[in-house]
Amino acid sequence: GGFAGEVPRLEYLGRRSVSDLTGEKLAEEHVLDVVPAGLQEAGLGESVYTVCGIQAEHGQGRPKYVLVVESEVPLDDSEKLALSLDRRFKDINSRYELKRNFGDLHPLEVVRVGSGTFADYRREQVELGAPAGQLKEKILHPDGKESLDSLLRLGSSGARS
């Protein structure tokens, strides 16, 4: 915000990404409000992360969100982190809370991948033809199955010690 001379300065916030697997309308702002604080609490303050929305396949189970977090250190307690984030999402998004309480939405899950996974993912996306300039870290993938599969594949590849 503010002005540059007499010209109002606009801050470009990007297209607002909203994920709606089952009516919960989880927005990028929600992720930014919740995840960094949760990671900080878990001692993973500076980690790169993304949240992938995963639709239930062919009536199998329920849709869910998976937080993929890149970290050198193993997560002491991914269950505890998942519960904490799930609670935080409920606190700031009443629709998320409703859908979780109804059981329409599976509890959030947390998966750790090793260092360099996100960089490898970006490289792969560019090789697949994504414009490099548009690949700022997406923190919310509303249709995240492919992203999640790629991150997990890259994150568990033997190249990592």
Side-chain angles (χ1 to χ4, degrees), residues 22 29-30 35 41-42 44 47 49 63 72 76 91 96 130 142 155:
T22 174
E29 294 91 293
H30 296 135
V35 177
E41 192 180 79
L44 299 171
S47 306
Y49 67 86
E72 278 288 278
D76 293 341
D91 287 346
Y96 180 94

Side-chain angles (χ1 to χ4, degrees), residues 47-88:
S47 306
V48 187
Y49 67 86
T50 193
V51 173
C52 297
I54 311 293
Q55 275 296 2
E57 285 186 12
H58 325 296
Q60 296 292 305
R62 299 167 284 173
K64 65 181 177 187
Y65 287 98
V66 180
L67 170 75
V68 182
V69 61
E70 181 176 300
S71 163
E72 278 288 278
V73 283
L75 276 173
D76 293 341
D77 198 343
S78 55
E79 287 284 295
K80 186 176 160 197
L81 177 58
L83 280 169
S84 155
L85 294 172
D86 198 52
R87 195 179 58 246
R88 288 168 191 258

Side-chain angles (χ1 to χ4, degrees), residues 11-18 27-29 31-32 48-51 118-119 121-123 125-126 130-142 147 151:
E11 215 175 316
Y12 178 63
L13 294 173
R15 287 193 309 275
R16 222 172 127 242
S17 185
V18 174
E28 253 176 35
E29 294 91 293
V31 174
L32 283 169
V48 187
Y49 67 86
T50 193
V51 173
F118 278 85
Y121 174 71
R122 265 197 310 278
R123 240 190 324 276
Q125 292 298 302
V126 171
Q134 284 179 18
L135 276 178
K136 78 170 182 55
E137 248 24 286
K138 260 181 89 171
I139 57 163
L140 178 61
H141 293 265
S147 305
L151 286 163

Side-chain angles (χ1 to χ4, degrees), residues 94-105:
S94 56
R95 297 179 68 109
Y96 180 94
E97 181 179 35
L98 198 68
K99 293 299 176 180
R100 283 281 296 104
N101 291 349
F102 276 152
D104 293 348
L105 195 59

